[in-house]
Amino acid sequence: MGNRKIEIFEDLKKKYVRMALETNQYASTAKSAGVSSSTLRNWMRQYETEVLDQMESEGVRLTPPEPTEKEYKKKYEQAMKLLGEKELEVAVLKDALKKNDHQ
C-alpha cells in the first residue's frame, strides 16, 4: 500500500514536469502545482529525461522557447544586412538597365 501512494506522487510530479516542458512556462506550472520554482526545478532534474523519452515515444514536439533579446537583435542585424545587400543589388540592376537603354 505504501509503494502505491509514493507512485501516485511520482506520477503527479512527472505530470507537472511534462506540463512545464510542453508549455515552456515554468513559473506558472510551479504555481499550478502549488510548489515553489525551486521544487519544480528539482523535479525537472529528477524526471526530465524520463518524461522527454516518453514524449518522444508518443511523437510529442516541444514548444521552442521564446527568443531572447540578444537573439532578436542578431536576427534583426541579419535582416538589415540582407536588406542592404538587396538594395545594392537593385541599384546595380537599375544602373545596368539605364546603360542598356542608352545603347
Side-chain angles (χ1 to χ4, degrees):
M1 179 86 177
N3 285 341
R4 179 67 185 142
K5 285 184 182 181
I6 292 172
E7 188 177 317
I8 290 170
F9 287 121
E10 301 305 303
D11 289 344
L12 187 60
K13 292 175 187 178
K14 291 175 192 176
K15 173 189 158 205
Y16 285 112
V17 168
R18 182 175 179 143
M19 184 186 303
L21 290 169
E22 287 178 339
T23 64
N24 206 34
Q25 301 291 320
Y26 297 90
S28 62
T29 300
K31 188 175 181 178
S32 296
V35 298
S36 68
S37 294
S38 62
T39 298
L40 179 62
R41 280 193 300 275
N42 289 336
W43 295 352
M44 296 291 291
R45 280 192 291 278
Q46 192 174 0
Y47 300 112
E48 185 173 15
T49 303
E50 180 183 345
V51 171
L52 284 172
D53 288 345
Q54 179 186 7
M55 291 169 68
E56 185 179 321
S57 71
E58 295 171 5
V60 175
R61 298 214 182 266
L62 295 179
T63 304
E66 286 293 316
T68 63
E69 184 177 346
K70 185 177 180 181
E71 291 169 328
Y72 275 127
K73 285 181 179 180
K74 184 177 179 182
K75 287 183 181 200
Y76 174 79
E77 289 169 4
Q78 289 173 336
M80 293 308 290
K81 181 180 176 189
L82 287 173
L83 180 60
E85 290 171 359
K86 292 298 176 188
E87 287 176 349
L88 179 61
E89 187 179 321
V90 168
V92 168
L93 290 172
K94 283 182 178 180
D95 189 45
L97 279 174
K98 285 180 187 176
K99 288 180 182 176
N100 197 19
D101 286 342
H102 288 36
Q103 290 180 355

